[in-house]
Short mmCIF file of all heavy atoms in Angstrom, two decimals:
data_model
loop_
_atom_site.label_atom_id
_atom_site.label_comp_id
_atom_site.label_asym_id
_atom_site.label_seq_id
_atom_site.Cartn_x
_atom_site.Cartn_y
_atom_site.Cartn_z
N GLY N 1 43.92 74.49 65.40
CA GLY N 1 44.27 75.83 65.88
C GLY N 1 45.39 76.51 65.12
O GLY N 1 45.69 77.68 65.40
N ARG N 2 46.01 75.79 64.18
CA ARG N 2 47.08 76.44 63.40
C ARG N 2 46.49 77.45 62.42
O ARG N 2 45.51 77.17 61.75
CB ARG N 2 47.87 75.38 62.60
CG ARG N 2 48.95 74.64 63.36
CD ARG N 2 50.28 75.37 63.45
NE ARG N 2 50.97 75.48 62.18
CZ ARG N 2 51.75 74.52 61.66
NH1 ARG N 2 51.90 73.36 62.28
NH2 ARG N 2 52.37 74.72 60.52
N GLU N 3 47.12 78.61 62.34
CA GLU N 3 46.69 79.63 61.36
C GLU N 3 46.90 79.07 59.94
O GLU N 3 47.90 78.41 59.67
CB GLU N 3 47.58 80.87 61.52
CG GLU N 3 47.33 81.65 62.79
CD GLU N 3 46.53 82.91 62.53
OE1 GLU N 3 46.77 83.54 61.49
OE2 GLU N 3 45.65 83.22 63.36
N GLN N 4 45.96 79.35 59.09
CA GLN N 4 46.10 78.99 57.67
C GLN N 4 46.46 77.51 57.49
O GLN N 4 47.24 77.14 56.61
CB GLN N 4 47.18 79.86 57.01
CG GLN N 4 46.89 81.36 57.01
CD GLN N 4 46.00 81.76 55.83
OE1 GLN N 4 46.39 81.65 54.69
NE2 GLN N 4 44.79 82.21 56.14
N ARG N 5 45.88 76.66 58.31
CA ARG N 5 46.29 75.25 58.32
C ARG N 5 45.97 74.55 57.01
O ARG N 5 46.56 73.53 56.69
CB ARG N 5 45.67 74.50 59.50
CG ARG N 5 44.17 74.46 59.48
CD ARG N 5 43.61 73.87 60.76
NE ARG N 5 42.16 73.81 60.69
CZ ARG N 5 41.43 72.85 61.23
NH1 ARG N 5 42.02 71.85 61.85
NH2 ARG N 5 40.13 72.85 61.14
N GLU N 6 45.00 75.08 56.25
CA GLU N 6 44.65 74.45 54.96
C GLU N 6 45.74 74.66 53.91
O GLU N 6 45.73 74.00 52.87
CB GLU N 6 43.33 75.02 54.42
CG GLU N 6 42.14 74.77 55.31
CD GLU N 6 41.93 75.88 56.34
OE1 GLU N 6 42.75 76.81 56.43
OE2 GLU N 6 40.91 75.80 57.05
N TYR N 7 46.65 75.60 54.17
CA TYR N 7 47.64 75.98 53.15
C TYR N 7 49.08 75.56 53.49
O TYR N 7 50.01 75.97 52.82
CB TYR N 7 47.62 77.50 52.93
CG TYR N 7 46.32 78.02 52.39
CD1 TYR N 7 45.40 78.64 53.23
CD2 TYR N 7 46.00 77.89 51.04
CE1 TYR N 7 44.19 79.13 52.72
CE2 TYR N 7 44.80 78.36 50.53
CZ TYR N 7 43.90 78.97 51.38
OH TYR N 7 42.71 79.44 50.88
N ILE N 8 49.24 74.75 54.53
CA ILE N 8 50.60 74.40 54.98
C ILE N 8 51.37 73.66 53.88
O ILE N 8 52.51 73.99 53.56
CB ILE N 8 50.56 73.59 56.29
CG1 ILE N 8 50.07 74.49 57.43
CG2 ILE N 8 51.95 73.03 56.63
CD1 ILE N 8 49.74 73.76 58.71
N LEU N 9 50.73 72.64 53.29
CA LEU N 9 51.40 71.88 52.23
C LEU N 9 51.69 72.78 51.03
O LEU N 9 52.79 72.76 50.47
CB LEU N 9 50.55 70.68 51.82
CG LEU N 9 51.17 69.74 50.78
CD1 LEU N 9 52.40 69.04 51.35
CD2 LEU N 9 50.16 68.70 50.29
N LYS N 10 50.71 73.58 50.65
CA LYS N 10 50.87 74.48 49.49
C LYS N 10 52.07 75.41 49.69
O LYS N 10 52.90 75.59 48.79
CB LYS N 10 49.60 75.30 49.28
CG LYS N 10 49.74 76.34 48.16
CD LYS N 10 48.47 77.14 47.98
CE LYS N 10 48.67 78.33 47.07
NZ LYS N 10 49.22 77.99 45.74
N ASN N 11 52.18 76.00 50.88
CA ASN N 11 53.27 76.94 51.14
C ASN N 11 54.64 76.26 51.02
O ASN N 11 55.61 76.87 50.58
CB ASN N 11 53.11 77.60 52.51
CG ASN N 11 51.88 78.50 52.55
OD1 ASN N 11 51.43 78.97 51.51
ND2 ASN N 11 51.34 78.73 53.74
N CYS N 12 54.70 74.99 51.43
CA CYS N 12 55.96 74.23 51.32
C CYS N 12 56.26 73.90 49.85
O CYS N 12 57.38 74.09 49.37
CB CYS N 12 55.89 72.94 52.12
SG CYS N 12 55.76 73.17 53.89
N VAL N 13 55.25 73.42 49.15
CA VAL N 13 55.45 72.91 47.79
C VAL N 13 55.70 74.04 46.78
O VAL N 13 56.45 73.87 45.81
CB VAL N 13 54.24 72.02 47.36
CG1 VAL N 13 54.33 71.63 45.89
CG2 VAL N 13 54.18 70.77 48.24
N ASP N 14 55.07 75.20 47.02
CA ASP N 14 55.24 76.33 46.10
C ASP N 14 56.71 76.68 45.86
O ASP N 14 57.08 77.12 44.77
CB ASP N 14 54.49 77.57 46.61
CG ASP N 14 53.03 77.55 46.20
OD1 ASP N 14 52.63 76.63 45.44
OD2 ASP N 14 52.27 78.44 46.62
N SER N 15 57.53 76.46 46.87
CA SER N 15 58.95 76.85 46.75
C SER N 15 59.74 75.93 45.82
O SER N 15 60.82 76.29 45.35
CB SER N 15 59.62 76.88 48.13
OG SER N 15 59.65 75.57 48.69
N VAL N 16 59.21 74.73 45.55
CA VAL N 16 59.96 73.79 44.69
C VAL N 16 59.21 73.37 43.43
O VAL N 16 59.76 72.70 42.57
CB VAL N 16 60.37 72.49 45.46
CG1 VAL N 16 61.23 72.80 46.66
CG2 VAL N 16 59.15 71.66 45.86
N ARG N 17 57.94 73.77 43.28
CA ARG N 17 57.12 73.21 42.20
C ARG N 17 57.71 73.47 40.82
O ARG N 17 57.56 72.65 39.91
CB ARG N 17 55.66 73.69 42.28
CG ARG N 17 55.42 75.14 41.94
CD ARG N 17 53.91 75.46 41.90
NE ARG N 17 53.26 74.90 40.73
CZ ARG N 17 51.94 74.90 40.54
NH1 ARG N 17 51.14 75.44 41.46
NH2 ARG N 17 51.41 74.38 39.46
N ASP N 18 58.39 74.59 40.66
CA ASP N 18 58.93 74.92 39.34
C ASP N 18 60.12 74.05 38.93
O ASP N 18 60.57 74.09 37.79
CB ASP N 18 59.31 76.41 39.27
CG ASP N 18 58.07 77.30 39.27
OD1 ASP N 18 56.98 76.79 38.94
OD2 ASP N 18 58.18 78.48 39.61
N ASN N 19 60.61 73.23 39.87
CA ASN N 19 61.70 72.30 39.54
C ASN N 19 61.17 71.04 38.84
O ASN N 19 61.95 70.19 38.41
CB ASN N 19 62.44 71.84 40.82
CG ASN N 19 63.02 73.01 41.58
OD1 ASN N 19 63.18 74.10 41.03
ND2 ASN N 19 63.34 72.80 42.85
N TYR N 20 59.84 70.92 38.77
CA TYR N 20 59.23 69.69 38.26
C TYR N 20 58.21 69.99 37.16
O TYR N 20 57.61 71.06 37.13
CB TYR N 20 58.53 68.93 39.40
CG TYR N 20 59.47 68.59 40.53
CD1 TYR N 20 59.58 69.43 41.63
CD2 TYR N 20 60.31 67.49 40.45
CE1 TYR N 20 60.49 69.16 42.66
CE2 TYR N 20 61.22 67.21 41.46
CZ TYR N 20 61.31 68.04 42.56
OH TYR N 20 62.21 67.78 43.55
N ASP N 21 58.02 69.01 36.28
CA ASP N 21 56.95 69.11 35.28
C ASP N 21 55.62 68.70 35.90
O ASP N 21 54.57 69.27 35.61
CB ASP N 21 57.25 68.20 34.08
CG ASP N 21 58.55 68.58 33.39
OD1 ASP N 21 58.71 69.77 33.05
OD2 ASP N 21 59.42 67.69 33.23
N PHE N 22 55.69 67.67 36.75
CA PHE N 22 54.47 67.16 37.41
C PHE N 22 54.72 66.93 38.89
O PHE N 22 55.79 66.43 39.27
CB PHE N 22 54.03 65.83 36.79
CG PHE N 22 53.45 65.96 35.41
CD1 PHE N 22 54.26 65.83 34.29
CD2 PHE N 22 52.10 66.22 35.23
CE1 PHE N 22 53.74 65.97 33.01
CE2 PHE N 22 51.56 66.35 33.96
CZ PHE N 22 52.37 66.23 32.84
N VAL N 23 53.74 67.27 39.70
CA VAL N 23 53.74 66.90 41.12
C VAL N 23 52.48 66.06 41.32
O VAL N 23 51.37 66.49 41.01
CB VAL N 23 53.70 68.15 42.03
CG1 VAL N 23 53.66 67.73 43.51
CG2 VAL N 23 54.90 69.06 41.76
N ILE N 24 52.68 64.82 41.79
CA ILE N 24 51.57 63.89 42.02
C ILE N 24 51.42 63.70 43.53
O ILE N 24 52.38 63.35 44.21
CB ILE N 24 51.83 62.52 41.35
CG1 ILE N 24 52.13 62.68 39.85
CG2 ILE N 24 50.66 61.56 41.60
CD1 ILE N 24 50.98 63.12 38.99
N ILE N 25 50.21 63.95 44.05
CA ILE N 25 49.98 63.82 45.50
C ILE N 25 49.08 62.63 45.77
O ILE N 25 47.93 62.58 45.28
CB ILE N 25 49.32 65.09 46.09
CG1 ILE N 25 50.10 66.36 45.68
CG2 ILE N 25 49.24 64.99 47.61
CD1 ILE N 25 49.43 67.67 46.12
N ASP N 26 49.57 61.67 46.55
CA ASP N 26 48.77 60.51 46.94
C ASP N 26 48.05 60.85 48.24
O ASP N 26 48.68 61.00 49.29
CB ASP N 26 49.66 59.27 47.13
CG ASP N 26 48.85 58.02 47.43
OD1 ASP N 26 47.73 57.91 46.90
OD2 ASP N 26 49.33 57.15 48.17
N CYS N 27 46.72 61.00 48.17
CA CYS N 27 45.93 61.42 49.33
C CYS N 27 45.51 60.23 50.20
O CYS N 27 45.41 59.11 49.71
CB CYS N 27 44.68 62.15 48.86
SG CYS N 27 45.02 63.66 47.95
N PRO N 28 45.20 60.49 51.47
CA PRO N 28 44.67 59.41 52.32
C PRO N 28 43.25 59.07 51.91
O PRO N 28 42.57 59.89 51.28
CB PRO N 28 44.69 60.02 53.74
CG PRO N 28 44.79 61.49 53.55
CD PRO N 28 45.40 61.75 52.22
N PRO N 29 42.76 57.87 52.27
CA PRO N 29 41.40 57.47 51.87
C PRO N 29 40.34 58.07 52.80
O PRO N 29 39.54 57.35 53.39
CB PRO N 29 41.45 55.95 51.96
CG PRO N 29 42.49 55.68 53.00
CD PRO N 29 43.50 56.78 52.92
N SER N 30 40.36 59.38 52.96
CA SER N 30 39.33 60.07 53.77
C SER N 30 39.36 61.54 53.38
O SER N 30 40.36 62.02 52.85
CB SER N 30 39.63 59.91 55.26
OG SER N 30 40.92 60.41 55.55
N LEU N 31 38.26 62.24 53.68
CA LEU N 31 38.21 63.66 53.34
C LEU N 31 38.58 64.47 54.58
O LEU N 31 37.76 65.15 55.17
CB LEU N 31 36.80 64.01 52.83
CG LEU N 31 36.38 63.29 51.55
CD1 LEU N 31 34.95 63.65 51.17
CD2 LEU N 31 37.32 63.61 50.40
N ASN N 32 39.86 64.38 54.97
CA ASN N 32 40.30 65.06 56.19
C ASN N 32 41.18 66.27 55.84
O ASN N 32 41.29 66.67 54.69
CB ASN N 32 41.03 64.08 57.11
CG ASN N 32 42.26 63.48 56.44
OD1 ASN N 32 42.74 63.97 55.41
ND2 ASN N 32 42.80 62.42 57.03
N MET N 33 41.82 66.84 56.87
CA MET N 33 42.61 68.04 56.66
C MET N 33 43.82 67.80 55.75
O MET N 33 44.25 68.70 55.02
CB MET N 33 43.09 68.59 58.03
CG MET N 33 43.78 69.94 57.98
SD MET N 33 42.94 71.22 57.00
CE MET N 33 41.44 71.42 57.94
N LEU N 34 44.35 66.57 55.73
CA LEU N 34 45.46 66.26 54.81
C LEU N 34 44.98 66.31 53.36
O LEU N 34 45.64 66.85 52.49
CB LEU N 34 46.04 64.87 55.13
CG LEU N 34 46.81 64.75 56.44
CD1 LEU N 34 47.11 63.28 56.75
CD2 LEU N 34 48.10 65.56 56.43
N THR N 35 43.78 65.75 53.12
CA THR N 35 43.21 65.79 51.76
C THR N 35 42.90 67.22 51.35
O THR N 35 43.17 67.62 50.21
CB THR N 35 41.94 64.92 51.69
OG1 THR N 35 42.28 63.58 52.09
CG2 THR N 35 41.38 64.87 50.28
N VAL N 36 42.37 68.02 52.28
CA VAL N 36 42.11 69.43 51.99
C VAL N 36 43.41 70.16 51.64
O VAL N 36 43.46 70.95 50.70
CB VAL N 36 41.37 70.11 53.18
CG1 VAL N 36 41.32 71.63 53.00
CG2 VAL N 36 39.96 69.55 53.32
N ASN N 37 44.48 69.87 52.40
CA ASN N 37 45.79 70.45 52.08
C ASN N 37 46.24 70.08 50.68
O ASN N 37 46.80 70.90 49.95
CB ASN N 37 46.84 70.00 53.11
CG ASN N 37 47.09 71.03 54.18
OD1 ASN N 37 47.93 71.92 54.05
ND2 ASN N 37 46.32 70.94 55.25
N ALA N 38 46.01 68.82 50.30
CA ALA N 38 46.38 68.38 48.95
C ALA N 38 45.59 69.17 47.90
O ALA N 38 46.14 69.58 46.88
CB ALA N 38 46.12 66.89 48.79
N MET N 39 44.32 69.39 48.18
CA MET N 39 43.46 70.07 47.20
C MET N 39 43.75 71.57 47.11
O MET N 39 43.54 72.17 46.05
CB MET N 39 41.98 69.83 47.54
CG MET N 39 41.53 68.41 47.25
SD MET N 39 39.77 68.20 47.55
CE MET N 39 39.59 66.43 47.31
N THR N 40 44.21 72.17 48.19
CA THR N 40 44.59 73.60 48.10
C THR N 40 45.93 73.74 47.37
O THR N 40 46.20 74.76 46.76
CB THR N 40 44.70 74.26 49.48
OG1 THR N 40 45.57 73.50 50.30
CG2 THR N 40 43.36 74.40 50.15
N THR N 41 46.73 72.68 47.39
CA THR N 41 48.04 72.69 46.72
C THR N 41 47.88 72.40 45.23
O THR N 41 48.61 72.94 44.40
CB THR N 41 48.96 71.61 47.34
OG1 THR N 41 49.01 71.80 48.75
CG2 THR N 41 50.37 71.67 46.77
N ALA N 42 46.92 71.54 44.91
CA ALA N 42 46.80 70.99 43.54
C ALA N 42 46.15 71.96 42.56
O ALA N 42 45.43 72.88 42.94
CB ALA N 42 45.99 69.70 43.59
N ASP N 43 46.43 71.71 41.28
CA ASP N 43 45.71 72.39 40.20
C ASP N 43 44.46 71.59 39.84
O ASP N 43 43.43 72.15 39.48
CB ASP N 43 46.60 72.50 38.95
CG ASP N 43 47.91 73.21 39.24
OD1 ASP N 43 47.87 74.27 39.87
OD2 ASP N 43 48.97 72.68 38.85
N THR N 44 44.60 70.25 39.92
CA THR N 44 43.49 69.38 39.54
C THR N 44 43.43 68.15 40.45
O THR N 44 44.40 67.82 41.13
CB THR N 44 43.65 68.86 38.08
OG1 THR N 44 44.89 68.16 37.97
CG2 THR N 44 43.60 69.98 37.07
N VAL N 45 42.26 67.51 40.45
CA VAL N 45 42.07 66.27 41.21
C VAL N 45 41.71 65.15 40.24
O VAL N 45 40.79 65.28 39.43
CB VAL N 45 40.93 66.41 42.26
CG1 VAL N 45 40.78 65.12 43.06
CG2 VAL N 45 41.21 67.58 43.20
N LEU N 46 42.47 64.06 40.32
CA LEU N 46 42.20 62.87 39.51
C LEU N 46 41.60 61.81 40.43
O LEU N 46 42.17 61.52 41.49
CB LEU N 46 43.50 62.36 38.88
CG LEU N 46 43.43 61.08 38.03
CD1 LEU N 46 42.55 61.28 36.81
CD2 LEU N 46 44.82 60.63 37.60
N VAL N 47 40.47 61.26 40.03
CA VAL N 47 39.75 60.32 40.89
C VAL N 47 39.77 58.91 40.29
O VAL N 47 39.16 58.68 39.25
CB VAL N 47 38.28 60.77 41.09
CG1 VAL N 47 37.55 59.82 42.04
CG2 VAL N 47 38.22 62.21 41.60
N PRO N 48 40.46 57.97 40.94
CA PRO N 48 40.38 56.57 40.49
C PRO N 48 39.07 55.96 40.98
O PRO N 48 38.68 56.16 42.13
CB PRO N 48 41.57 55.88 41.17
CG PRO N 48 42.29 56.95 41.94
CD PRO N 48 41.37 58.10 42.09
#
């Protein structure tokens, strides 16, 4: 029920991303809302 819930992580990270060369996000082993948040935040997805 949260508005724009897919973008919560992105909105937080956008404020600090320029302080870093790389941001690495370790996702949970499922395709849930946390993983979706990671993907809306990320530029790319690396799959082991």
Side-chain angles (χ1 to χ4, degrees):
R2 277 277 292 276
E3 290 256 322
Q4 298 276 295
R5 62 187 182 145
E6 297 90 355
Y7 297 102
I8 292 169
L9 184 66
K10 176 180 169 55
N11 293 337
C12 294
V13 173
D14 276 355
S15 65
V16 301
R17 71 173 287 172
D18 289 341
N19 301 342
Y20 302 95
D21 299 308
F22 288 92
V23 178
I24 305 291
I25 309 175
D26 185 33
C27 297
S30 57
L31 297 177
N32 60 15
M33 187 48 64
L34 290 170
T35 303
V36 170
N37 261 272
M39 289 184 186
T40 53
T41 307
D43 304 312
T44 58
V45 181
L46 178 63
V47 183

